[in-house]
Amino acid sequence: MGDMANSSIECHPKPQPQREAPHAGGFGCTLAELRTLMELRGAEALQKIQEAYGDVSGLCRRLKTSPTEGLADNTNDLEKRRQIYGQNFIPPKQPKTFLQLVWEALQDVTLIILEVAAIVSLGLSFYAPPGEESEACGNVSGGAEDEGEAEAGWIEGAAILLSVICVVLVTAFNDWSKEKQFRGLQSRIEQEQKFTVIRNGQLLQVPVAALVVGDIAQVKYGDLLPADGVLIQGNDLKIDESSLTGESDHVRKSADKDPMLLSGTHVMEGSGRMVVTAVGVNSQTGIIFTLLGAGGEEEEKKDKKAKKQDGAVAMEMQPLKSAEGGELEERERKKASAPRKEKSVLQGKLTKLAVQIGKAGLVMSAITVIILVLYFVIETFVVDGRVWLAECTPVYVQYFVKFFIIGVTVLVVAVPEGLPLAVTISLAYSVKKMMKDNNLVRHLDACETMGNATAICSDKTGTLTTNRMTVVQSYVGDTHYREVPAPSALTPKILDLLVHAISINSAYTTKILPPEKEGALPRQVGNKTECALLGFVLDLKRDFQPVREQIPEDKLYKVYTFNSVRKSMSTVIRMPDGAFRLFSKGASEILLKKCTHILNSNGELRVFRPRDREDMVKKIIEPMACDGLRTICIAYRDFAAGHEPDWDNENEVVGDLTCIAVVGIEDPVRPEVPEAIRKCQRAGITVRMVTGDNINTARAIAAKCGIIQPGEDFLCLEGKEFNRRIRNEKGEIEQERLDKVWPKLRVLARSSPTDKHTLVKGIIDSTSGEQRQVVAVTGDGTNDGPALKKADVGFAMGIAGTDVAKEASDIILTDDNFTSIVKAVMWGRNVYDSISKFLQFQLTVNVVAVIVAFTGACITQDSPLKAVQMLWVNLIMDTFASLALATEPPTESLLLRKPYGRDKPLISRTMMKNILGHAAYQLTIIFTLLFVGELFFDIDSGRNAPLHSPPSEHYTIIFNTFVMMQLFNEINARKIHGERNVFDGIFSNPIFCSIVLGTFAIQVGGAEQPLLGLSETRVIATIPTSQLKCLKEAGHGPGKDEMADEELAEGEEEIDHAERELRRGQILWFRGLNRIQTQMEVVSTFKRSGSFQGAVRRRSSVLSQLHDVTNLCTPTHVILSAANPTSPGLPGAAAGHRCLSGVFCSRPP
C-alpha cells in the first residue's frame, strides 16, 4: 500500500510552491517535507524521522511545539501555521447552480413532450392559411376566421409553455433548497465534531477545522482521526486503517515501531498523543479527495452522465463522513441510483406505483389520439367524401396537433407529477421538525423507514438509563456497605490502594469537574463508569488529581485498554524500587476468576479460593445485580524487582490478582423511558435490550423499563447461551434456529458486538412471521458500527457516541434519549401517512381527469378539460396540495396502530374505496354538466366547438366545478383510515388552511382566467342562475328577443357566442352610462326650471349617437379573399375588446 500511496501522490500537483521557502515561516520543516514523511509507513518512517529529526521530540522542536504542553494558544501563531501548512478543511465540490438544476428538471420526458406540443401549437397558431380554399377544406375550419384565431390560438401554446416553466422552476427550486439544507446539515454535523488537543498544558476540545500542524492531539478509543500525525506516546493503540488501505486487520501503533497515524482512520483500541503533521488537503485523506475531485472533472468532460454521480458535500476534515454526506445528497436527488441498503420501504412501493401509473397513462393517451385521428379522418374524407388538397394541409395539421395536445393532456393528467414533490416536501419538512425533537437525520429515507419499524434493539447504558453513574454499594475489607463508607471505616492501606487503583487505572481524559451552575451536579467528563469510580474516590474524601500528577500518563509502563473482548482494563506502573505493580478493573464475574487473594479488614492478604468466590457471587454480587447495579471488581498484583514478565502475554500478566474491592454502580433508568416503551408496545413495536452487563442487572433494568412484564412469556439470554441456541454442530448460524429464539427474546446480556449484529441480521432476514420485520438499532460504541449499518435504521448517540458509531448511523439522537426514538417513529408514520393522503388525493384527480379527457375527446372530439387547464390543476393543485397534505403535524394517535411492515400495499382498501367513491361522484357531476349542462344553466352548448374557439361558458363551468371538487376532496384526503370527521384538527395546520383558501381565492378571483380563456362574467356565470331568476336577469342583460332585432339588422345569421357576450357587455355599458347622463340632465334641467322638451330632445340625440357607436363597433361579416385580404390585425373579437376599453373605435379597414 505504501507504494500505492506514493504513486497516487506523485500525480498531485505540489501546492503553493511559493510557500515552500527554505524552512517556511521560521519553522524547521517545509510542507513538502512533511507530506513526503507522511507517505512512509512502519520502519521506513521511523528511519526517516531518526535521520531527519533525531526522534519525535526533534520533530516537535522543529515545529516549535512541546510534546507535553502543546502549542501556546496564540492566535497569531495559529494563523501563521494555517497560512504555511494549510487549514484542516477540504473545500467542498461546487454545488450545482440554479441553472444547472433547471436544466436537469427540463430533462423530464413528460415536460419535453409538452414543450414540443406547445411549440408546434404556437407555430401553427401564427400561420394564417390563405382564404379562398377554405371552402374546399370543408367545414373543418368552420368559424376559425371570424373568431379571431390569432386572439385565441396562441394562448394555448403560450400557456402550456408558461406552466412548463412553472413546473421546472418549482422542481429546480426544490432541489436547490434541498441541497442547501443538506449542506447546512452537513456543516452542522461537522461543527459538532470536536477533538481533544493540548494547548498551554491544558486539555481543550477544539472543532476539527481548528486543528493546525504542530498541535498535540489526544487520541482515544472510538476516535476518527481528523489529521495526519506522528505518535509521541501510546498505550496499546490499535488502528483500523481499512478506509485507506482496505486491510481489515487492526494495525498496532507504537512510538518505537510504527508511529504514523493517518487521517480518516479509526482508533479501535487504546489511547495516546500525537503531533499533527498534515491537515486538510495535505493529509492522506485530503490527497485522495483532491484526486477524486480532479478525476471527477475530467470524467465529466468525457462522459455527461458523470453529472449524476455528483454530490460531494462540504467536507470539513471528517474525512469519511463527507464521502457519506455526498453520497447521501446524491442518493436523495437520484433516489434509486445506489442505495446504501436495500431501498427504503416507501421508496420501493412508490417506484412500483409510479411505473404502473405511467404505463396506464401512456396507453390511455395513445388510444385517445388514435380514436380522435380515426374519427376525424373518417368523418372528413369518408363521410363527407373530401379530397386532401395541398392548400388544406396546414388546416388538417392544426387538427392533428390539437389531437396530439389532447393526447398529451391525458398523459399529463395520468402522471402524478406531484408525487416526487410530495415525498420531498414531506421528508424535508419532517427532517426540519425532527431536529427540534433531537433527531438529526443523516439519511432522508431513514425518516419514513422508522415509521414502519416493528422492532427496536436498544442499548441499555445512556439510552434507557441516564448515563450518570454513581457507586451506591461496595464490598471492601470483608464488609458489604449499602452506601458509601466513611473514610475512617477503612484501613489506610486499603484506602490508599483503592485510590491509586482507581486514579491511575482509568483514562486520564476522564475526570470530574466542578458544576457549571451552583447547586447542579458535578460534571462528568469521559467514560461514565470511570467517572463513577472517580466520584467514589471523591466521596471517600480523597482526590485523584495529585495521584495523577505524581504519576503522569507518559510514566505509565504498560496499558491494556478496555475493549469488548477483555471487558477489563489494566495499567502497569514501575515502583520507585524497580518493582512493577499492575492495577486492574473490570466486570466482577470475569475478574474474580483471576483473583487468588483478597484483602481482609486489616488490609492483609487472605487466600481467595473458588469456594470463596462462589460464596461471594451468591451473597454479594447477585444481590447487587438484582438491584440493577453493575458490579465492578478492582484488583492489583505486584511483580518483584528484576523479574520482568513478558508483557505481551496478557493472560499471564493479568492473573494471580488480589481483590481490593467490588463496587456496585447504579445507572438510574431515565424517568421518561417506561412511558416511551409503553407507547412503543402499544404501537406494535417490540423493544429488545442488548447490553454488555450481566444477566441479573440487565433483567432488573428491563423490568424497571417495562421491556419485560411479569407473567409474560419471554427469554432473557446471555451471549454464550444465545450462540449455543442459534448455531449448529459446525458452529454455523442457522436461520431456523434463530427464528425459534428471536420472537420471544427480550434481553440479551453479556453480548458482544458480533452477537448484536447476528441478532439484527437474523431478525431482518427472517421470513417466519406473518410480516417481514423492519429493525431499528441504537448504539454508541465503535463496536456497534456493524449492527448500526445492518439495521434498517441506525440511531447513534450524539453525546456518548463515538465518531465511528455516528458514521454508521442514519439518525443521530442529539440528547441520547429513548423518547426521541418514539418521536422518530411518530414522524416516520406521519411521513408515510402524508404521502398516502396525497396519493389518495392525486389518484382521485387522475382517475377523474383521465376518464373525462378520454371520453370527452372520443365523444365530442375535444377534451372538456384543455391542456392548459389540466396543467393548472396539475401545477397549482398538486404542488400546493402536496405542500398542504405533507405538512400535517403528527399526532399521538399515530402510535395507536400497528406498523405497516414491508409487504403491505401502499394503497390500502379504505383508500381504494375513497378513491373510487369520490371518482364516481365527480364523474357523475362532470358528465351531467358536459351532456346536459347547457339545459340546466340555459346557455349555449360548448360541445363540438370549432378549432381555436375560445373556451365556452359551458366548458368553463365544467372546469370550475372540477377544480372546486378537487379543492374539497383535499379536505377529504386528510383522513385515510376511514375516520368520519375529516375536519378533525384542521386548524392545527395553518399551512393547510391557507393553501385551501388561497387556491379557492385564485380560482374564483380569476387571476389566471385570461390565461385559461375565462372571463369574470364566466366565473360569475358558473353560479347556477337558472334557479335564481333575479340573478339570471341581472347577469344576462336584455333577453334574446330584445337582442335579436339589433343583431339580425347587422345581417349576421349566426354570431359566435363569445362575441355575443362581448356585444351584451358593450350595450350594458352604454346603457349604464346613458342612464347616469340622463339623470344628470334631468337634475340640471329641473334646477334651471327650463323646458322639459329640451331635455327630451337632448336625450334622443344621445340615443341616436349611441346607435351609431353600436354600429361602428359591430364588425360586418368579413370575407377573406386573396385579392383583398382584410388586415388580420383586428378580427372581430379584438375589435370588441377595443370597443369595450376605448368606448369609441373606428371600423377596421
Side-chain angles (χ1 to χ4, degrees):
M1 175 58 205
D3 301 341
M4 268 180 68
N6 283 341
S7 63
S8 72
I9 304 314
E10 290 315 307
C11 61
H12 186 273
K14 290 275 190 264
Q16 295 94 3
Q18 78 273 14
R19 288 186 187 160
E20 292 174 33
H23 300 322
F27 295 110
C29 311
T30 63
L31 182 57
E33 271 176 45
L34 290 174
R35 271 177 70 143
T36 330
L37 173 67
M38 291 321 292
E39 286 158 19
L40 306 173
R41 306 278 179 276
E44 259 188 300
L46 263 177
Q47 191 184 345
K48 171 82 176 164
I49 291 174
Q50 282 158 2
E51 283 170 14
Y53 313 107
D55 60 1
V56 181
S57 311
L59 175 62
C60 292
R61 278 195 297 280
R62 292 268 194 102
L63 288 171
K64 298 194 174 171
T65 180
S66 149
T68 50
E69 296 289 307
L71 295 174
D73 209 352
N74 171 348
T75 347
N76 296 342
D77 176 48
L78 297 178
E79 197 42 55
K80 189 170 163 191
R81 286 172 191 272
R82 282 194 191 100
Q83 278 173 5
I84 293 170
Y85 298 112
Q87 37 184 330
N88 200 17
F89 171 74
I90 296 180
K93 194 163 180 182
Q94 278 300 310
K96 290 194 174 171
T97 61
F98 188 68
L99 287 176
Q100 280 171 311
L101 292 170
V102 167
W103 178 245
E104 270 179 34
L106 278 168
Q107 311 299 310
D108 185 38
V109 186
T110 327
L111 290 181
I112 292 173
I113 297 173
L114 280 173
E115 286 154 25
V116 172
I119 290 165
V120 173
S121 161
L122 260 181
L124 288 170
S125 71
F126 287 122
Y127 175 81
E132 63 191 32
E133 279 84 16
S134 63
E135 281 309 306
C137 301
N139 61 357
V140 289
S141 58
E145 323 89 323
D146 44 301
E147 275 128 20
E149 175 184 325
E151 194 67 29
W154 63 271
I155 290 182
E156 190 155 28
I160 295 178
L161 278 182
L162 188 69
S163 21
V164 166
I165 290 168
C166 289
V167 172
V168 166
L169 289 179
V170 168
T171 316
F173 178 74
N174 219 42
D175 284 348
W176 178 78
S177 56
K178 192 163 64 184
E179 188 157 321
K180 198 167 147 223
Q181 220 172 5
F182 264 118
R183 285 176 186 266
L185 185 70
Q186 202 56 28
S187 59
R188 192 190 144 127
I189 293 177
E190 278 150 11
Q191 284 156 11
E192 283 182 358
Q193 205 206 357
K194 293 202 161 55
F195 210 75
T196 313
V197 297
I198 303 173
R199 287 186 185 166
N200 280 338
Q202 297 285 317
L203 278 180
L204 296 178
Q205 291 269 327
V206 297
V208 160
L211 284 177
V212 293
V213 170
D215 257 326
I216 305 295
Q218 287 266 20
V219 295
K220 60 182 188 309
Y221 159 81
D223 281 343
L224 174 71
L225 297 183
D228 294 354
V230 178
L231 189 64
I232 300 172
Q233 171 265 326
N235 305 318
D236 194 27
L237 194 62
K238 285 187 188 162
I239 304 280
D240 171 9
E241 292 189 346
S242 59
S243 56
L244 286 179
T245 63
E247 300 291 328
S248 56
D249 294 345
H250 297 170
V251 184
R252 187 182 282 278
K253 298 283 181 183
S254 62
D256 51 358
K257 289 202 180 75
D258 181 3
M260 311 311 269
L261 300 178
L262 306 174
S263 58
T265 58
H266 293 131
V267 182
M268 300 315 276
E269 269 183 45
S271 60
R273 286 205 315 276
M274 71 168 186
V275 55
V276 176
T277 52
V279 294
V281 285
N282 302 307
S283 67
Q284 292 301 298
T285 311
I287 289 168
I288 291 172
F289 268 129
T290 319
L291 288 173
L292 280 180
E297 279 161 35
E298 286 162 32
E299 278 301 302
E300 249 175 70
K301 286 170 194 160
K302 275 184 263 174
D303 180 3
K304 275 292 181 207
K305 284 181 190 145
K307 74 173 189 292
K308 303 274 191 212
Q309 261 46 59
D310 149 60
V313 165
M315 315 183 243
E316 238 163 73
M317 258 328 274
Q318 193 200 340
L320 299 172
K321 180 168 290 154
S322 17
E324 270 272 20
E327 175 197 314
L328 144 152
E329 182 172 343
E330 165 200 342
R331 190 178 54 258
E332 230 335 278
R333 271 200 306 276
K334 215 185 160 225
K335 277 236 168 130
S337 64
R340 216 172 28 93
K341 305 174 179 162
E342 57 181 284
K343 261 191 196 162
S344 84
V345 183
L346 182 69
Q347 267 176 324
K349 294 179 180 178
L350 279 177
T351 316
K352 210 161 129 194
L353 186 77
V355 170
Q356 290 167 341
I357 293 176
K359 283 180 184 165
L362 209 57
V363 171
M364 287 292 273
S365 65
I367 295 174
T368 314
V369 174
I370 293 165
I371 290 178
L372 284 171
V373 170
L374 287 176
Y375 196 109
F376 171 76
V377 169
I378 292 167
E379 189 185 38
T380 310
F381 301 118
V382 179
V383 179
D384 296 352
R386 297 186 183 279
V387 192
W388 185 302
L389 298 172
E391 308 83 78
C392 297
T393 306
V395 178
Y396 297 145
V397 168
Q398 272 184 308
Y399 266 89
F400 290 138
V401 169
K402 180 182 170 187
F403 299 150
F404 175 62
I405 289 181
I406 291 169
V408 172
T409 307
V410 174
L411 181 62
V412 169
V413 173
V415 177
E417 281 118 338
L419 199 53
L421 198 62
V423 177
T424 310
I425 290 176
S426 187
L427 287 174
Y429 173 78
S430 304
V431 167
K432 232 179 181 148
K433 292 284 187 189
M434 281 169 81
M435 285 288 291
K436 291 186 182 147
D437 285 337
N438 306 308
N439 283 290
L440 181 77
V441 180
R442 291 185 67 233
H443 300 124
L444 262 191
D445 48 3
C447 183
E448 42 84 8
T449 310
M450 199 51 219
N452 291 308
T454 54
I456 298 175
C457 296
S458 173
D459 259 7
K460 174 181 77 75
T461 311
T463 315
L464 300 173
T465 57
T466 56
N467 204 11
R468 188 182 173 84
M469 303 199 185
T470 42
V471 172
V472 288
Q473 295 186 27
S474 54
Y475 178 82
V476 193
D478 288 343
T479 318
H480 184 178
Y481 296 95
R482 297 275 172 186
E483 49 202 35
V484 177
S488 54
L490 304 177
T491 55
K493 181 185 175 186
I494 293 183
L495 190 56
D496 200 52
L497 268 172
L498 192 57
V499 171
H500 275 75
I502 291 172
S503 308
I504 294 167
N505 186 29
S506 55
Y508 277 35
T509 47
T510 302
K511 20 182 200 300
I512 292 189
L513 301 175
E516 283 177 331
K517 292 183 194 141
E518 268 185 66
L521 293 165
R523 278 182 299 152
Q524 296 187 342
V525 180
N527 181 301
K528 301 297 178 184
T529 310
E530 290 180 350
C531 285
L533 294 170
L534 292 175
F536 184 49
V537 170
L538 296 175
D539 290 342
L540 291 169
K541 307 286 183 281
R542 301 292 287 270
D543 192 0
F544 56 86
Q545 206 52 49
V547 179
R548 288 180 169 184
E549 281 162 11
Q550 187 188 344
I551 305 173
E553 195 171 6
D554 46 13
K555 292 277 191 327
L556 301 179
Y557 193 79
K558 174 81 182 159
V559 179
Y560 302 94
T561 48
F562 180 87
N563 68 21
S564 53
V565 181
R566 288 191 186 118
K567 296 217 183 290
S568 68
M569 171 181 177
S570 310
T571 304
V572 181
I573 57 168
R574 184 172 249 167
M575 306 297 280
D577 60 357
F580 295 97
R581 176 171 282 173
L582 170 129
F583 290 115
S584 198
K585 66 164 191 281
S588 53
E589 58 266 50
I590 290 170
L591 218 53
L592 281 175
K593 285 179 185 160
K594 298 182 177 177
C595 288
T596 51
H597 295 82
I598 189 167
L599 294 178
N600 66 13
S601 51
N602 302 323
E604 293 151 1
L605 298 189
R606 174 164 65 76
V607 177
F608 189 62
R609 294 183 298 276
R611 196 177 66 244
D612 298 331
R613 187 173 71 240
E614 282 162 22
D615 267 4
M616 188 164 172
V617 167
K618 277 202 184 78
K619 292 180 179 159
I620 309 296
I621 291 170
E622 281 185 1
M624 280 190 187
C626 292
D627 289 341
L629 304 186
R630 171 187 284 190
T631 54
I632 301 277
C633 173
I634 299 164
Y636 80 105
R637 175 184 180 179
D638 282 329
F639 297 94
H643 292 287
E644 191 171 337
D646 172 12
W647 297 115
D648 286 336
N649 184 353
E650 191 186 329
N651 289 341
E652 185 65 36
V653 175
V654 185
D656 197 12
L657 303 173
T658 303
C659 172
I660 306 172
V662 172
V663 294
I665 295 177
E666 180 184 44
D667 186 6
V669 170
R670 287 176 181 265
E672 62 274 25
V673 161
E675 176 55 25
I677 286 178
R678 227 183 348 268
K679 281 182 186 166
C680 281
Q681 288 163 341
R682 205 168 51 219
I685 301 169
T686 311
V687 182
R688 296 182 174 83
M689 184 164 99
V690 183
T691 176
D693 264 353
N694 82 33
I695 187 97
N696 293 325
T697 311
R699 197 186 275 121
I701 299 260
K704 281 183 189 169
C705 292
I707 290 175
I708 53 180
Q709 312 277 346
E712 259 187 12
D713 181 15
F714 58 80
L715 283 175
C716 291
L717 297 179
E718 282 197 330
K720 277 183 190 161
E721 173 64 11
F722 172 69
N723 277 304
R724 195 183 60 70
R725 290 194 184 200
I726 63 168
R727 291 177 192 272
N728 59 18
E729 299 72 48
K730 293 180 195 160
E732 294 159 346
I733 298 169
E734 283 188 1
Q735 186 67 43
E736 292 130 57
R737 289 172 178 244
L738 231 171
D739 287 346
K740 288 182 189 142
V741 174
W742 73 257
K744 288 186 179 177
L745 183 69
R746 291 294 176 273
V747 175
L748 185 57
R750 283 275 173 252
S751 66
S752 69
T754 330
D755 297 339
K756 193 171 186 175
H757 183 259
T758 308
L759 176 65
V760 171
K761 184 176 183 302
I763 298 178
I764 291 177
D765 294 346
S766 170
T767 48
S768 64
E770 54 221 54
Q771 60 169 3
R772 295 274 308 279
Q773 299 278 311
V774 178
V775 183
V777 169
T778 70
D780 54 4
T782 304
N783 47 21
D784 292 325
L788 288 171
K789 262 237 178 305
K790 177 65 194 165
D792 293 293
V793 183
F795 285 93
M797 301 298 140
I799 303 167
T802 59
D803 295 340
V804 183
K806 291 179 189 172
E807 185 73 10
S809 69
D810 300 292
I811 298 178
I812 296 174
L813 295 177
T814 51
D815 63 346
D816 288 14
N817 193 337
F818 190 83
T819 44
S820 303
I821 298 178
V822 180
K823 293 265 176 55
V825 172
M826 239 160 78
W827 275 108
R829 291 189 173 191
N830 193 51
V831 167
Y832 197 96
D833 277 10
S834 294
I835 290 162
S836 298
K837 288 172 189 176
F838 179 71
L839 263 178
Q840 179 175 309
F841 169 76
Q842 173 83 66
L843 291 181
T844 313
V845 177
N846 288 7
V847 168
V848 173
V850 167
I851 295 176
V852 168
F854 178 71
T855 40
C858 296
I859 297 169
T860 70
Q861 281 91 77
D862 189 5
S863 166
L865 300 166
K866 297 279 182 288
V868 187
Q869 297 176 340
M870 278 329 306
L871 280 165
W872 155 254
V873 171
N874 250 18
L875 175 81
I876 305 299
M877 300 293 292
D878 294 0
T879 307
F880 283 131
S882 64
L883 189 62
L885 293 168
T887 52
E888 288 270 304
T891 56
E892 289 280 333
S893 62
L894 287 168
L895 295 175
L896 298 177
R897 65 168 171 77
K898 296 277 177 273
Y900 290 137
R902 281 186 200 278
D903 311 324
K904 195 163 182 286
L906 199 54
I907 298 171
S908 65
R909 272 217 167 104
T910 319
M911 284 168 66
M912 203 47 141
K913 213 164 56 190
N914 289 348
I915 291 171
L916 296 176
H918 284 299
Y921 152 72
Q922 294 190 12
L923 287 169
T924 314
I925 301 277
I926 285 178
F927 283 139
T928 309
L929 284 177
L930 180 60
F931 296 113
V932 291
E934 68 273 25
L935 306 176
F936 277 117
F937 294 115
D938 191 15
I939 50 176
D940 293 345
S941 163
R943 294 190 300 283
N944 301 323
L947 188 65
H948 288 321
S949 50
S952 57
E953 195 170 0
H954 183 193
Y955 276 15
T956 304
I957 292 178
I958 293 176
F959 172 59
N960 266 315
T961 312
F962 178 69
V963 172
M964 288 306 161
M965 287 197 292
Q966 302 325 325
L967 205 56
F968 286 95
N969 189 24
E970 207 169 307
I971 299 173
N972 286 328
R974 288 183 69 247
K975 302 292 177 200
I976 49 170
H977 298 299
E979 298 92 330
R980 296 271 163 167
N981 182 7
V982 291
F983 296 103
D984 181 35
I986 193 165
F987 295 114
S988 64
N989 186 0
I991 300 180
F992 184 87
C993 300
S994 47
I995 283 175
V996 170
L997 292 172
T999 319
F1000 181 80
I1002 295 174
Q1003 183 66 29
V1004 172
E1008 86 292 2
Q1009 313 293 16
L1011 168 78
L1012 303 174
L1014 315 176
S1015 69
E1016 281 74 359
T1017 334
R1018 293 197 183 112
V1019 177
I1020 293 166
T1022 57
I1023 301 166
T1025 48
S1026 53
Q1027 270 65 43
L1028 307 170
K1029 289 282 188 288
C1030 56
L1031 270 182
K1032 181 176 163 188
E1033 281 152 19
H1036 281 235
K1040 284 192 178 164
D1041 308 337
E1042 299 169 50
M1043 295 279 306
D1045 309 338
E1046 277 176 73
E1047 285 176 4
L1048 293 174
E1050 282 305 314
E1052 294 214 358
E1053 270 72 66
E1054 192 183 294
I1055 288 180
D1056 167 63
H1057 187 80
E1059 230 164 79
R1060 186 150 73 233
E1061 191 72 2
L1062 282 171
R1063 209 73 56 67
R1064 281 183 192 157
Q1066 292 164 24
I1067 289 165
L1068 276 173
W1069 173 248
F1070 286 123
R1071 287 210 174 135
L1073 274 179
N1074 189 33
R1075 291 248 164 89
I1076 294 168
Q1077 210 174 346
T1078 312
Q1079 279 161 0
M1080 298 204 49
E1081 292 275 333
V1082 171
V1083 172
S1084 56
T1085 308
F1086 278 117
K1087 267 189 189 162
R1088 287 204 307 274
S1089 310
S1091 77
F1092 188 61
Q1093 242 62 51
V1096 173
R1097 218 175 300 122
R1098 265 197 297 279
R1099 183 177 167 188
S1100 61
S1101 74
V1102 169
L1103 272 175
S1104 65
Q1105 211 178 338
L1106 170 62
H1107 194 72
D1108 288 349
V1109 170
T1110 345
N1111 285 349
L1112 265 179
C1113 289
T1114 310
T1116 46
H1117 192 60
V1118 180
I1119 295 162
L1120 292 175
S1121 69
N1124 180 17
T1126 344
S1127 151
L1130 253 176
H1137 277 301
R1138 295 206 174 103
C1139 289
L1140 258 177
S1141 52
V1143 181
F1144 293 103
C1145 68
S1146 57
R1147 188 183 299 278

